[in-house]
Amino acid sequence: MNIRRLLDSIVTRLLALALLIVLTGSLTRYYALSAFLREDLGKVVEAQQLALANYVAHDIDEKVAQREMLLNRLARDVPRPLLEDPARLEQWLRGHYDYQPLFSIGMLVLGLDGMAIADYPIAPGRRQISFADRDYFHAALSGRSYIGKATIGRATKVPVLPMSVPIRGADGRVQGVLVGITALGAPGFLELMQHSRIGNHQDSFLLISPRDRQFVAASEPDMILKPLPPPGANPLHDKAMTGWRGTGITINAKGVEEVCGVASVPSAGWFVVARIPSKEAFATVDRVKQFTLRNTLLALGVFTLITCCGMYIVLRPLFVTARHADRMTRGELPLEPLPIHRNDEVGHLISAFNRLLHKLDRHQVELARLAHHDPLTGLPNRALLTDRLQVAQAQAKRKGNALALLFMDLDGFKTINDKHGHKAGDKVLWLVAQRLSAIVRQTDTLARIGGDEFVLLLSDLDDNAEDIARTVAAKCLEAFAEPFPVGGADCALGISIGIAIGSGLSTPDQLLQAADQAMYRVKKTGRSGSETIRV
């Protein structure tokens, strides 16, 4: 018992609270802040990588498209007779090359056998080399321009990118192939990708050809023209090979985690990868972790101060409870349960107060229900009917609609009451309420206003209000077609219905009086039925 009281003591809780504040604060800052910074900084770095990839890809795309456009224009302009005159064809190439030297290695014209007819600038031995096995040569022979596979030039022995277009005769047939060759390391071609840097790392960009499954260019020189890693080595690379473009974090083929951005080079069918190692991208997160650990030591130094403040925090619910209860007793706040935060003396006091408040509230709810509902049938009573009738009348006045009031009195109920007793009569009244409730809409109000008298309020009616009221009255009469089981026997009951049709100009009392008068007229006939009066 003493141990339990010690555990529930305010002093014990105070010491535990002080320790918990220090430990929780430190751990929360260390883990939550680190995770938040990594996620938030990751979005920034990914956006940066994608912007860089798009910038480089756009630059490469423009340069490739510019060379392809130039080559197509020259193929259209080359004089066809010069294909038979290599010397003059070489002069023609020189004139156009000097004017716009986009192809750093030069241009050459190949014959249909794949041998060079003329080239400029002249590369020693190039005219003795056959290019018949090159992919760009076969593509041009088939009649289409083509960006060849990046490879090591046969004449220059450096990494090059060849392009080709067909030279057609007047009959549309291919008479030769115009080829332009650019060194991958040529100034003004891929230098934006090869010499740009992100942070302290040089290997930041990759230019990849999915068609040829090779690295066309890279910031890391030993990766140029190397084949791509096998599928599965880099999940993000595998997605990019299928056409995906965007940003993400992945593990490369060397096992290094990277933040990557992928963008397309449409003219060549390539894509650019801008990448940065996660270790460098999230270096700020590591520094924040170290900062948090240092702050933990400082937090321990203010432990005594937190303990003093904790005393106030522990006792604060008692002060709040007393003030809250005082304001409720003065009517400044609604009666509502107080929150229970602990299982100590304050908690027991608040719990007892809440139980007392709950009982009081339950009694008030029951009294409110009894004040507005009939205890036997559960239907609204006269007071609630009056309130709803006033609301319906105001609504009808505002909208210009009509409303109807059906005043119903049971025929033959007194006989049942006298013959079988009040309990049987009460059961019949309950059954009547059930049958009538099954007829009315949810927006209508069925009330018992005393004895065997019921009133049905139909609101928000249109110009056919009288027809609707008569239809509802007919359904009410039908509900009494079946006898009521009373004391082991079936007893027949009738109902007399007086209908009053009113508008927003009629008062609630006028409607009730008119419906009551109409009901008595039906009553005098000695049979169940209904009669309608307009107010």
Side-chain angles (χ1 to χ4, degrees), residues 205-217:
F205 292 95
L206 297 173
L207 181 59
I208 295 174
S209 172
R211 182 195 67 191
D212 304 318
R213 296 195 61 81
Q214 69 171 176
F215 295 104
V216 177

Side-chain angles (χ1 to χ4, degrees), residues 281-303:
F282 301 117
T284 302
V285 178
D286 294 331
R287 290 194 294 270
V288 169
K289 288 182 178 180
Q290 296 174 6
F291 177 80
T292 304
L293 289 176
R294 289 195 299 268
N295 277 344
T296 300
L297 299 176
L298 179 62
L300 293 175
V302 296
F303 178 83

Side-chain angles (χ1 to χ4, degrees), residues 449-500:
I449 61 174
D452 58 347
E453 294 178 338
F454 296 82
V455 174
L456 175 58
L457 171 62
L458 307 178
S459 59
D460 198 19
L461 303 179
D462 54 17
D463 295 336
N464 298 325
E466 187 172 341
D467 294 337
I468 295 174
R470 288 178 177 175
T471 300
V472 174
K475 291 183 179 180
C476 292
L477 291 171
E478 291 175 3
F480 285 77
E482 295 291 332
F484 290 84
V486 180
D490 292 335
C491 296
L493 271 180
I495 186 171
S496 298
I497 305 175
I499 304 173

Side-chain angles (χ1 to χ4, degrees), residues 284-487:
T284 302
V285 178
D286 294 331
R287 290 194 294 270
V288 169
K289 288 182 178 180
Q290 296 174 6
F291 177 80
T292 304
L293 289 176
R294 289 195 299 268
N295 277 344
T296 300
L297 299 176
L298 179 62
L300 293 175
V302 296
F303 178 83
T304 304
L305 179 61
I306 295 178
T307 303
C308 296
C309 294
M311 179 64 73
Y312 171 77
I313 295 174
V314 171
L315 296 178
R316 185 171 180 270
L318 182 60
F319 306 145
V320 173
T321 300
R323 184 168 60 252
H324 203 110
D326 184 58
R327 295 185 65 186
M328 285 194 296
T329 58
R330 293 199 303 266
E332 297 176 3
L333 293 176
L335 298 178
E336 57 185 9
L338 298 172
I340 301 175
H341 298 288
R342 300 193 304 270
N343 191 33
D344 55 12
E345 296 82 356
V346 177
H348 294 320
L349 177 62
I350 298 175
S351 179
F353 178 84
N354 287 342
R355 288 196 298 271
L356 180 61
L357 195 61
H358 177 71
K359 289 183 179 180
L360 179 61
D361 183 66
R362 188 172 56 189
H363 290 160
Q364 287 182 333
V365 171
E366 182 64 20
L367 289 175
R369 192 190 70 81
L370 293 176
H372 294 89
H373 290 80
D374 174 49
L376 175 62
T377 61
L379 296 177
N381 59 14
R382 182 183 291 272
L384 185 55
L385 173 65
T386 301
D387 290 341
R388 294 187 179 179
L389 185 54
Q390 289 175 349
V391 173
Q393 185 270 340
Q395 184 181 20
K397 184 177 182 180
R398 185 175 64 255
K399 295 184 177 180
N401 294 334
L403 64 156
L405 201 66
L406 280 67
F407 199 109
M408 297 175 283
D409 187 84
L410 303 183
D411 298 331
F413 176 74
K414 186 175 183 304
T415 303
I416 294 176
N417 221 17
D418 294 341
K419 184 177 180 180
H420 297 281
H422 292 289
K423 288 187 178 180
D426 290 345
K427 181 180 180 181
V428 170
L429 290 175
W430 186 86
L431 292 173
V432 168
Q434 296 301 308
R435 292 190 185 185
L436 294 178
S437 296
I439 297 172
V440 302
R441 302 175 301 177
Q442 291 184 351
T443 56
D444 300 331
T445 299
L446 175 65
R448 181 189 176 209
I449 61 174
D452 58 347
E453 294 178 338
F454 296 82
V455 174
L456 175 58
L457 171 62
L458 307 178
S459 59
D460 198 19
L461 303 179
D462 54 17
D463 295 336
N464 298 325
E466 187 172 341
D467 294 337
I468 295 174
R470 288 178 177 175
T471 300
V472 174
K475 291 183 179 180
C476 292
L477 291 171
E478 291 175 3
F480 285 77
E482 295 291 332
F484 290 84
V486 180

Side-chain angles (χ1 to χ4, degrees), residues 44-252:
V44 175
V45 175
E46 287 181 9
Q48 177 193 47
Q49 296 304 104
L50 184 59
L52 287 170
N54 280 318
Y55 177 73
V56 173
H58 180 71
D59 180 75
I60 295 174
D61 185 65
E62 284 188 345
K63 291 175 179 177
V64 171
Q66 183 182 23
R67 284 163 172 76
E68 191 175 20
M69 186 183 304
L70 173 63
L71 209 61
N72 276 283
R73 188 174 73 248
L74 293 178
R76 291 193 302 267
D77 296 341
V78 63
R80 303 307 185 262
L82 297 185
L83 296 177
E84 306 297 329
D85 191 346
R88 292 178 59 197
L89 182 58
E90 180 181 313
Q91 292 179 357
W92 187 89
L93 289 175
R94 174 186 297 179
H96 288 80
Y97 179 86
D98 290 342
Y99 176 73
Q100 201 167 11
L102 294 180
F103 298 99
S104 61
I105 301 301
M107 296 187 296
L108 62 153
V109 177
L110 303 180
L112 298 180
D113 58 352
M115 300 298 293
I117 300 174
D119 67 329
Y120 188 85
I122 299 175
R126 184 153 58 186
R127 297 190 186 182
Q128 286 74 43
I129 299 174
S130 174
F131 297 89
D133 61 333
R134 293 301 197 187
D135 56 346
Y136 57 85
F137 174 75
H138 291 285
L141 286 183
S142 66
R144 56 194 176 96
S145 59
Y146 192 78
I147 299 175
K149 179 181 179 181
T151 184
I152 301 296
R154 287 178 174 172
T156 60
K157 307 304 180 183
V158 297
V160 297
L161 177 68
M163 300 180 182
S164 66
V165 293
I167 301 174
R168 299 179 183 273
D171 57 356
R173 294 183 180 180
V174 177
Q175 294 183 345
V177 176
L178 179 61
V179 179
I181 303 175
T182 305
L184 295 180
F189 187 42
L190 301 180
E191 62 182 0
L192 181 63
M193 184 195 77
Q194 294 174 333
H195 301 295
S196 296
R197 298 181 59 163
I198 302 176
N200 299 321
H201 288 263
Q202 186 72 23
D203 54 333
S204 299
F205 292 95
L206 297 173
L207 181 59
I208 295 174
S209 172
R211 182 195 67 191
D212 304 318
R213 296 195 61 81
Q214 69 171 176
F215 295 104
V216 177
S219 300
E220 191 174 354
D222 60 1
M223 295 184 67
I224 298 175
L225 301 186
K226 292 296 190 293
L228 299 180
N234 187 331
L236 201 67
H237 171 82
D238 294 342
K239 287 178 62 178
M241 291 292 289
T242 62
W244 172 87
R245 300 294 181 262
T247 61
I249 299 177
T250 186
I251 305 296
N252 64 20

